[in-house]
């Protein structure tokens, strides 16, 4: 650990321009053949990610966990679940990644623990009024739940325990919310941060970063827009961008949450190597997102605006300009993301099939040209679509609580090679924990490698092209008006054009640096290009 690290130059930290690849451990690579991905599996595939051309990996949780929400229910923040391996395996992963020049971002889950966590078990045993209960949000209520809040996964956000008290869980009942007004909670998480920083973690993705503090009164939510009282991506997706700021959310985005990140900023600043924090904060506007990345708080926040927007040039343009204005106002760094483990894959969101894939590649190419950093989700480089998982294989708590399909369809194990499942996912024959579609034989890494027309080759080329200009082209862009169906901007010497309309559009003069499809004198529908 070095204070005042001489390599650190403010404004040039590695994460500002990084492309980070999200790994969902149970679905990336299975080292031991039990049908579930694991840490040694990830380590074995790191050279693939180096060759893909990403700078960093963010690994979804692999802590000790009963896996009720696939690791976002942590029972021990200081160990790895045996399903995924050991602490020694995690150390090896960190070491190998660093040898390959890859940074590693660990997923931190501070809003809630698992109900198996020693603290929650102690709280149950100790009873009402105890210091053990005071680490969570236990309340008395005679007639039903203490307020009208709904769980993001459906149903009331409160569960009653045997002695009559209720505890709050904004997610599954197996994920009790911690009381961040209790100093013991903050102190424990500083220990967690240091534990992983000391092992070499380069940063943390902070789960539910906007949720840690609730309005202290725990008052009822005023429900608007004819919606339920829950609030998450799925709800926001139905609300037009302009209306999103009108929601009453006493459970999210409270001013006091920022004190937590100021403290964490201090903790990280004592380490060398520009360690970073990226917020998963489903806030209502670019401005509220930007508050998480003020200079003394986090490094980045996921910018979900594009991922929530439909295929529309005007919406995309609004997302780009709104994001850049809001981040610039706080001297922050923008991020871009189109897919993750919580949303339908973007090929499918944009219509699926050939059209969906063309649009997904085009949107990705535009995202990669923008100032700031980009996040990719495992399998998008193969053009994978959302899978319609048969009900008997669904495991998402959202499905279990609501009966709606949920998120399993974007979590199907990655196809690496071969003609039949598990497509090289692991060493054992047969289907992994969620069955892979047999059509994925054509989409394996092995099938796409060496095919210049494949989605994988496109991603490799785009990431290589980005590398040559992303860090040197400055953070300014100039939006261009090339028609209502077109997103267009200039960044330094590169002009980026995306055609969201149905008809080809004329292109400005310039040499084609990268294109998401065939380009001639005009730019076809659903295609993007970088011109120099
Ligand atoms: C956000 C995570 O991305 C999601 O997968 C998880 O279910 C919730 N937070 C609860 O931790």
């Amino acid at each position: 650990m070095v204070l005042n690290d001489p390599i650190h130059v403010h404004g040039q930290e590695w994460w500002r321009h990084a492309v980070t690849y999200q790994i969902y451990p149970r679905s990336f690579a299975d080292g031991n053949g039990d049908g579930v991905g694991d840490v040694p599996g990830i380590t074995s595939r790191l050279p693939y990610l180096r060759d893909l051309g990403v700078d960093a990996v963010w690994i979804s949780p692999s802590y000790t966990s009963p896996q009720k929400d696939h690791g976002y229910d942590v029972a021990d923040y200081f160990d790895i679940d045996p399903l995924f391996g050991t602490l020694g395996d995690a150390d090896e992963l960190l070491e190998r990644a660093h040898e390959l020049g890859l940074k590693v971002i660990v997923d931190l889950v501070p809003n809630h623990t698992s109900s198996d966590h020693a603290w929650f078990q102690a709280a149950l045993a100790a009873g009402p009024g105890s210091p053990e209960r005071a680490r969570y949000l236990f309340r008395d209520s005679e007639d039903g739940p203490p307020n009208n809040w709904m769980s993001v996964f459906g149903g009331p956000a409160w569960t009653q325990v045997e002695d009559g008290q209720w505890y709050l869980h904004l997610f599954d009942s197996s994920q009790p919310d911690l009381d961040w007004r209790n100093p013991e909670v903050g102190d424990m998480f500083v220990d967690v941060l240091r534990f992983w920083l000391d092992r070499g973690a380069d940063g943390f993705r902070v789960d539910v970063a906007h949720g840690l503090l609730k309005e202290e009164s725990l008052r009822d939510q005023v429900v608007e827009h004819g919606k339920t009282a829950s609030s998450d991506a799925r709800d926001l997706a139905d609300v037009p961008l302009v209306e999103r700021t009108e929601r009453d959310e006493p459970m999210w985005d409270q001013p006091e949450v920022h004190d937590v990140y100021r403290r964490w900023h201090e903790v990280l600043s004592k380490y060398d190597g520009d360690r970073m924090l990226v917020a998963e904060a489903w806030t209502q506007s670019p401005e509220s997102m930007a508050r998480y990345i003020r200079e003394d708080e986090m490094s980045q926040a996921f910018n979900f605006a594009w991922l929530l927007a439909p295929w529309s040039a005007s919406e995309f343009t609004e997302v780009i300009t709104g994001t850049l204005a809001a981040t610039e106002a706080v001297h922050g760094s923008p991020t871009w993301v189109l897919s993750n483990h919580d949303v339908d894959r973007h090929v499918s969101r944009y219509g699926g099939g050939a059209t969906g894939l063309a649009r997904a590649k085009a949107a990705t190419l535009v995202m990669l040209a923008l100032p700031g950093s980009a996040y990719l989700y495992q399998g998008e480089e193969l053009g994978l679509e959302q899978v319609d998982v048969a009900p008997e294989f669904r495991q998402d708590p959202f499905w279990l609580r609501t009966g709606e399909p949920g998120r399993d369809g974007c979590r199907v194990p990655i196809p690496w090679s071969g003609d039949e499942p598990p497509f090289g996912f692991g060493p054992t024959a047969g289907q992994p924990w969620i069955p892979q579609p047999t059509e994925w034989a054509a989409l394996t890494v092995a099938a796409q490698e060496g095919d210049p027309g494949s989605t994988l080759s496109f991603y490799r080329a785009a990431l290589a092209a980005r590398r040559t200009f992303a860090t040197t082209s400055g953070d300014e862009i100039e939006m261009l008006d090339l028609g209502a169906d077109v997103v267009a901007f200039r960044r330094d010497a590169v002009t980026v054009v995306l055609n969201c309309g149905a008809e080809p559009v004329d292109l400005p003069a310039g040499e084609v640096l990268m294109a998401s499809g065939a380009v001639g004198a005009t730019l076809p529908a659903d295609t993007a290009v970088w011109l120099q």
Side-chain angles (χ1 to χ4, degrees):
M1 267 173 269
V2 188
L3 268 178
N4 302 322
D5 171 21
I7 299 166
H8 168 101
V9 181
H10 181 72
Q12 298 194 355
E13 296 91 343
W14 64 269
W15 43 264
R16 286 186 188 269
H17 303 283
V19 176
T20 299
Y21 183 99
Q22 182 193 353
I23 292 175
Y24 196 66
R26 62 190 298 124
S27 304
F28 187 63
D30 172 16
N32 65 3
D34 64 357
V36 179
D38 48 42
V39 174
I42 298 172
T43 307
S44 73
R45 296 293 186 179
L46 290 174
Y48 164 78
L49 298 177
R50 188 257 333 260
D51 294 345
L52 178 61
V54 300
D55 305 291
V57 291
W58 145 35
I59 305 179
S60 283
S62 52
Y63 309 99
T64 314
S65 158
Q67 301 291 312
K68 292 283 199 292
D69 187 17
H70 293 166
Y72 284 99
D73 48 324
V74 180
D76 182 354
Y77 294 87
F78 302 95
D79 207 349
I80 299 288
D81 197 278
L83 181 68
F84 296 127
T86 63
L87 260 185
D89 293 331
D91 289 339
E92 269 176 45
L93 186 157
L94 281 155
E95 194 183 335
R96 183 77 182 117
H98 291 153
E99 277 167 16
L100 293 169
L102 295 167
K103 305 284 188 188
V104 179
I105 300 174
V106 171
D107 211 317
L108 188 72
V109 188
N111 178 68
H112 43 265
T113 68
S114 159
S115 49
D116 282 7
H117 192 282
W119 273 8
F120 193 74
Q121 289 302 313
L124 291 181
S130 61
E132 287 84 356
R133 287 228 169 156
R135 294 169 177 147
Y136 294 90
L137 290 156
F138 278 88
R139 291 293 182 273
D140 295 315
S141 176
E142 301 269 295
D143 46 359
N147 68 25
N148 71 347
W149 297 2
M150 299 290 284
S151 153
V152 169
F153 293 160
W158 295 90
T159 289
Q160 196 167 24
V161 299
E162 266 179 21
D163 54 48
Q165 279 208 310
W166 300 77
Y167 67 90
L168 179 72
H169 52 88
L170 292 177
F171 295 88
D172 190 50
S173 54
S174 64
Q175 295 165 299
D177 280 53
L178 288 161
D179 184 355
W180 272 84
R181 294 179 196 277
N182 180 337
E184 259 191 274
V185 172
D187 291 347
M188 195 269 269
F189 276 94
V190 167
D191 291 345
V192 175
L193 288 174
R194 291 200 177 117
F195 180 83
W196 291 99
L197 289 166
D198 289 342
R199 302 191 100 84
D202 297 289
F204 298 92
R205 176 265 188 191
V206 181
D207 190 62
V208 198
H210 59 317
L212 275 46
L213 275 295
K214 285 78 177 159
E215 209 175 292
E216 201 165 7
S217 64
L218 300 184
R219 67 168 172 84
D220 275 355
Q221 176 181 31
V222 180
V223 181
E224 292 176 304
H225 301 303
K227 301 247 141 218
T228 67
S230 83
S231 170
D232 78 338
R234 282 167 290 272
D235 269 3
L236 282 176
D238 299 336
V239 182
L241 277 178
V242 284
E243 287 178 25
R244 281 185 202 153
T245 51
E246 293 171 20
R247 298 164 62 92
D248 175 51
E249 297 186 331
M251 68 291 279
W252 306 122
D253 203 17
Q254 299 300 306
E256 302 95 311
V257 78
H258 296 283
D259 295 335
V260 174
Y261 304 128
R262 290 191 189 100
R263 182 173 182 198
W264 291 7
H265 181 104
E266 280 299 305
V267 172
L268 266 65
S269 70
K270 303 288 187 294
Y271 286 77
D272 64 351
D274 297 328
R275 315 287 175 113
M276 56 84 77
L277 296 164
V278 53
E280 188 228 13
W282 292 93
T283 60
Q284 296 191 32
S285 65
E287 291 72 29
S288 47
M289 174 195 74
R291 285 201 285 271
Y292 289 78
I293 55 169
R294 287 175 290 195
E295 270 164 305
D296 57 349
E297 296 193 37
M298 300 220 200
S299 326
Q300 301 179 328
F302 290 118
N303 168 21
F304 293 121
W306 197 329
L307 168 157
L308 295 172
W311 182 255
S312 148
S314 60
E315 292 250 9
F316 290 169
T317 300
E318 188 187 331
V319 166
I320 293 170
T321 54
T323 303
L324 294 178
T327 49
E328 198 183 317
V330 294
H331 309 291
S333 226
T335 66
W336 311 97
V337 57
L338 291 166
S339 278
N340 65 32
H341 66 294
D342 289 330
V343 296
D344 284 5
R345 286 185 175 276
H346 61 288
V347 175
S348 305
R349 290 205 314 273
Y350 295 149
T355 300
L357 182 59
R359 290 178 172 181
K361 287 164 67 181
T364 302
L365 193 62
V366 176
M367 166 179 97
L368 290 175
L370 284 163
S373 98
Y375 282 82
L376 308 179
Y377 175 52
Q378 65 182 34
E380 69 169 82
E381 78 280 17
L382 305 176
L384 299 186
E385 293 204 33
Q386 193 72 6
V387 175
D388 185 12
V389 177
E392 62 271 29
F393 293 109
R394 292 182 195 154
Q395 298 194 13
D396 184 354
F398 182 78
W399 152 254
L400 299 172
R401 288 177 69 94
T402 65
E404 290 177 40
R407 303 164 294 177
D408 295 300
C410 63
R411 300 171 174 181
V412 178
I414 295 297
W416 292 94
S417 59
D419 298 326
E420 55 185 12
F423 296 120
F425 173 67
T428 317
Q431 287 283 14
W433 70 280
I434 300 185
Q436 299 161 313
T438 49
E439 312 85 77
W440 278 10
L443 297 178
T444 64
V445 171
Q448 296 199 40
E449 240 162 5
D451 170 2
S454 71
T455 308
L456 178 58
S457 297
F458 163 76
Y459 267 77
R460 284 187 177 160
L463 290 170
R466 172 191 159 92
R467 200 170 275 276
T468 60
F469 85 92
T471 47
T472 54
S473 297
D475 286 345
E476 300 292 313
I477 66 167
E478 179 196 350
M479 297 307 292
L480 307 173
D481 184 0
L482 298 186
D485 289 331
V486 179
V487 180
F489 58 87
R490 186 176 298 121
R491 181 172 174 205
D492 199 20
V494 177
T495 301
V496 178
V497 189
L498 164 66
N499 183 3
C500 292
E503 300 301 324
V505 294
D506 290 334
L507 277 175
E511 174 203 344
V512 174
L513 272 180
M514 257 314 290
S516 66
V519 179
T522 58
L523 182 66
D526 303 326
T527 311
V529 68
W530 298 354
L531 301 169
Q532 191 164 30

